[in-house]
Amino acid sequence: MTTPIQLVAVANRGEIASRVFATCRRLGIETMAVFSDADADLPFVADADYAARLPGSIPSETYLQGERIVRLVRASGGQAVHPGYGFLSESADFARAVLDGQLVWIGPPPEAIEAMGSKVRSKELMRAAGVPTLEAPAEPTESDLPLLVKASAGGGGRGMRVVRRLDDLGSEVAAAEAEARSAFGDGTVFVEPYVESGRHVEVQVLFDTYGSGVALGDRDCSLQRRHQKVMEEAPAPGLSDEVRAGMHQAAVEAGRAVGYAGAGTVEFLYDPATGRFWFLEMNTRLQVEHPVTECVIGLDLVALQIGVAEGRTLAELLPDGVPAPSGHAVEVRLYAEDPAADWQPTAGRLARFDVPADTSFDLLARHGIRVDAGYASGDVVGTHYDAMLAKVISWGPDRGSALRSLRGALRRARLHGIATNRDLLIAALGDRDTLAGTMTTSTLEHRLAKEFADLAPAGDPDFAPFVAAIALAARDTEQRTVQRGVPTGWRNVVSQPHRTTFLVSGRDEPVVAEWYGDRDGFRSAGEEDLHVIEATPRRVVVERGGFRQSIDVHIDPVTGEVHLDDDSMVRQSLRLLPRFTDPADAVASGSLLAPMPGTVVTVAVEPGDAVAAGDVVLVLEAMKMQHTVTAPHDGTVAEVNVEPGAQVASGEVLAVVATGEPEESP
C-alpha cells in the first residue's frame, strides 16, 4: 500500500536541502526548511515553501537537535523528513525519533543505520555475508606497515590516521580516539592495513521495503585530500566486467544483510594491481556525489528515495529495470579553502559566484554542466559548517569529453571574495593520472597538491596590480561628476606617475602599481610594450607583445577589494591600501592574529608563561577542522585575549608573545 507524501521537511542545510526541494517541486510536494541563525539568508531557506528557525549557529545547537526538529516539523503539519547527508542523516536515534513522531522517514530502517554505523560491527556482518573485508593484524609488526587508524563511527576523514612507523601507533590511536570522540561522541577506533595505491570505488544501491534490491551503477572517488573526496565519476573507469559485476553483487548482499531500504552506497577499496576489492563501509544515506550516477542512468535518486518511503516497490519505481549507463559523468567539489595557507578553510563574503551551467539540481536533458550550489553572489560563508560551496558536474558522451568540459567550466567560473580550491581542481582534471584513469587515493595528497603549491604565479607579478589600478581608475572616471570623459589621473604637467598600493593574495609585502592617465586613456609607467586597449570597472583589455588579453574585474562594493579573472592567468585578489595608515589599525609586535573566523577550542598558555618558537598557544576550530596557533618566536606570553568557546573574527589579536624573559614579580 502506498501513501503519497504531501510535505517534506529537510533536516539539513545548504546545497543538499535545495537539491531535495527541487525534486519535491517537480513532484508537487510542499517543502519545509529548518535553518540556523547563521544560515538565515542562504538560498535554501528561500527555496522552501515554509521555513522554521533553529536558534543558534553551531551544529550542536541547531542541525544536531533532532527532537527539536521533529517538534518543528510536527507543529508545521509536515508529513515526512529527509535527512540529507551529514549531521543526523546516519543517526539511528534521529530516525527513531522521526518515526515515533508519526512522521515518514525518507531513509533506511534505524536498525540498518545502527548496524552499518559501527565500522567494527559492520565488518563482522559483512564477513558473515561473504563480502570481502580487510583484516587487521592482531599484533602489528613492521612488515604490516603502513596501517590505517579509523574511527568506528562517522566519516569524512575525522578520526583517521596513517601510521608508517610502529613506534607512532600508540600516539596515533590516542589522537584518533580524541578526534573521533569530539566529532562523533564515540572514541572507538580500529586498525586495518593501509593500501597505499588503492582506488576508492563505490556502488549505488536501492532497496524497497519488501526486500528487493538492485545496484544502480558504480562511482570512482579516488581523488581525495586529507581523506575527503574531491572528484567523483561514474562509471568507475578501468574496471573489468568481472570486477564490476562482483562489486555490484557484493553491494547488494551487503544491503540485504542489514535489511536495507532506500538509497545507499557501499564503499570498496580496490587494488588495481591485483584486481581485489574489500568492503570499507556503507553510507546509509544519499551521497554527496549522487549526481554523477543520476547523469549516466537518467534517474532522480531523490525521487526514488521518496517513492520507497511512500511504499512503492522496485517494480513500480523501475518498470523497465535498471537503465544501462549512458556516457560518463564527473563531479568536483568546490571548497572555500586557501591554497596559500596550507588549504585552511576560508570564510567571508562571497562577492561573486558565477559558474556557467546548463541546469541546477536537476537531471541534464543533454550533455552539459550541472551546478548544485549552496551559495550565491553576496552570501556570507561562515565558519560553523562544511567548507563546500558547490558541486560542479559534467556529463559527456565519454570520459575524455566530460573531463574537458568540466575543466572548461571551472576556467570560465568567476569566484570572488574568498579563496577556493578551483585552480587545484583545474590542475587535477588535466593531470596525467586523471586523464589516464590511473589516479589513486594518494595521487592528490602526495603529488598533485604539492606540485600545485610549488607553482609560481604565472606571468609578471606586477601585471595584476597594474590591471587592478586601471580598473579602479576607470571606476573613478565613471563616478566623477566633473570633467566627464577625462580619465582619472590626467594632469596638465606630468611630474611623476600615479602610485596605487595593494595587498596581493599570496604575497607578504605590499605591491605598488605605477601608471599614467591622460586624454587618450591609461598607460603603464614602467612597461612600454603594455598598452591599455579598453578599461572599465568590469573589464580591462590590454595588449603586450602583440597578444591581446581580456581580464574580468569585480570591485566588491562592500569591501573595496579588486578581483581579477581570465581563463589563463592565476586568479588574483587585491586589497587597496590607503595612502595613510590609521594608527588604530597597528598591532603590537608578536601579536598572534586569527588566521580565519572560528571558535576557540583550547588555550594552552597564560600571561607570564615562557614559550619557545612553535609551542602551541591555542587551538581554533573552523568548518569542522581544528587549527593550531603557535608561538612565532621564543619569548613570554604578554597577553591572552580570548578564552575557550569564544568566537573570533579573521585578523583578531588572540594573544601577544613578547621577546625576552618573563619579569620577576616584586
Side-chain angles (χ1 to χ4, degrees), residues 514-647:
E514 296 188 341
W515 54 278
Y516 293 104
D518 55 35
R519 292 187 182 278
D520 296 324
F522 303 103
R523 57 189 175 91
S524 170
E527 189 174 344
E528 292 184 2
D529 196 31
L530 176 58
H531 306 285
V532 178
I533 306 301
E534 177 188 340
T536 74
R538 296 158 293 282
R539 190 170 78 121
V540 175
V541 181
V542 298
E543 188 172 283
R544 288 201 297 180
F547 292 94
R548 190 165 291 192
Q549 185 173 1
S550 176
I551 302 100
D552 281 356
V553 181
H554 180 79
I555 302 173
D556 191 330
V558 176
T559 66
E561 291 182 332
V562 184
H563 308 281
L564 308 179
D565 247 325
D566 76 357
D567 290 346
S568 60
M569 68 182 288
V570 172
R571 281 81 186 174
Q572 292 280 6
S573 295
L574 306 96
R575 175 169 295 176
L576 179 66
L577 286 181
R579 295 181 64 185
F580 304 101
T581 302
D582 187 339
D585 293 335
V587 296
S589 175
S591 295
L592 302 182
L593 307 182
M596 68 198 73
T599 303
V600 178
V601 178
T602 58
V603 177
V605 298
E606 295 181 352
D609 287 352
V611 293
D615 283 354
V616 175
V617 175
L618 54 86
V619 177
L620 285 177
E621 183 169 272
M623 295 179 176
K624 302 197 298 186
M625 294 181 64
Q626 292 192 349
H627 308 275
T628 303
V629 178
T630 60
H633 48 67
D634 296 351
T636 304
V637 178
E639 297 178 20
V640 176
N641 301 323
V642 293
E643 58 185 21
Q647 299 289 315

Side-chain angles (χ1 to χ4, degrees), residues 323-654:
S326 172
H328 201 91
V330 185
E331 171 185 301
V332 290
R333 304 187 188 190
L334 192 60
Y335 283 109
E337 55 186 13
D338 189 355
D342 193 29
W343 304 97
Q344 290 182 354
T346 57
R349 184 171 176 272
L350 189 58
R352 184 180 179 189
F353 184 89
D354 182 9
V355 183
D358 297 289
T359 190
S360 297
F361 305 114
D362 197 1
L363 299 179
L364 284 161
R366 56 183 174 81
H367 296 146
I369 300 294
R370 164 178 165 179
V371 176
D372 290 7
Y375 296 87
S377 296
D379 289 338
V380 174
V381 180
T383 62
H384 304 292
Y385 313 113
D386 188 82
M388 190 175 76
L389 299 174
K391 304 179 309 195
V392 186
I393 306 105
S394 170
W395 179 39
D398 52 61
R399 186 171 186 271
S401 60
L403 288 169
R404 183 176 59 198
S405 62
L406 181 54
R407 192 167 186 260
L410 291 172
R411 286 169 63 90
R412 296 190 303 275
R414 298 298 179 247
L415 310 169
H416 300 144
I418 58 177
T420 73
N421 68 332
R422 185 259 303 270
D423 288 335
L424 175 62
L425 296 176
I426 291 173
L429 289 168
D431 179 70
R432 61 178 185 271
D433 286 338
T434 304
L435 294 173
T438 57
M439 63 284 176
T440 69
T441 53
S442 61
T443 298
L444 188 58
E445 186 79 51
H446 294 168
R447 183 175 64 78
L448 265 178
K450 293 178 180 178
E451 290 179 2
F452 181 81
D454 291 339
L455 288 176
D460 183 350
D462 296 326
F463 178 63
F466 171 74
V467 172
I470 297 306
L472 288 171
R475 180 197 62 180
D476 294 342
T477 299
E478 281 192 0
Q479 293 178 347
R480 69 193 308 169
T481 57
V482 296
Q483 293 184 314
R484 289 182 181 274
V486 178
T488 293
W490 177 79
R491 299 289 185 273
N492 280 321
V493 179
V494 178
S495 61
Q496 59 185 355
H498 293 275
R499 296 166 58 86
T500 309
T501 306
F502 296 98
L503 285 178
V504 182
S505 58
R507 300 180 65 175
D508 295 330
E509 299 296 327
V511 179
V512 178
E514 296 188 341
W515 54 278
Y516 293 104
D518 55 35
R519 292 187 182 278
D520 296 324
F522 303 103
R523 57 189 175 91
S524 170
E527 189 174 344
E528 292 184 2
D529 196 31
L530 176 58
H531 306 285
V532 178
I533 306 301
E534 177 188 340
T536 74
R538 296 158 293 282
R539 190 170 78 121
V540 175
V541 181
V542 298
E543 188 172 283
R544 288 201 297 180
F547 292 94
R548 190 165 291 192
Q549 185 173 1
S550 176
I551 302 100
D552 281 356
V553 181
H554 180 79
I555 302 173
D556 191 330
V558 176
T559 66
E561 291 182 332
V562 184
H563 308 281
L564 308 179
D565 247 325
D566 76 357
D567 290 346
S568 60
M569 68 182 288
V570 172
R571 281 81 186 174
Q572 292 280 6
S573 295
L574 306 96
R575 175 169 295 176
L576 179 66
L577 286 181
R579 295 181 64 185
F580 304 101
T581 302
D582 187 339
D585 293 335
V587 296
S589 175
S591 295
L592 302 182
L593 307 182
M596 68 198 73
T599 303
V600 178
V601 178
T602 58
V603 177
V605 298
E606 295 181 352
D609 287 352
V611 293
D615 283 354
V616 175
V617 175
L618 54 86
V619 177
L620 285 177
E621 183 169 272
M623 295 179 176
K624 302 197 298 186
M625 294 181 64
Q626 292 192 349
H627 308 275
T628 303
V629 178
T630 60
H633 48 67
D634 296 351
T636 304
V637 178
E639 297 178 20
V640 176
N641 301 323
V642 293
E643 58 185 21
Q647 299 289 315
V648 298
S650 179
E652 185 173 334
V653 178
L654 306 172

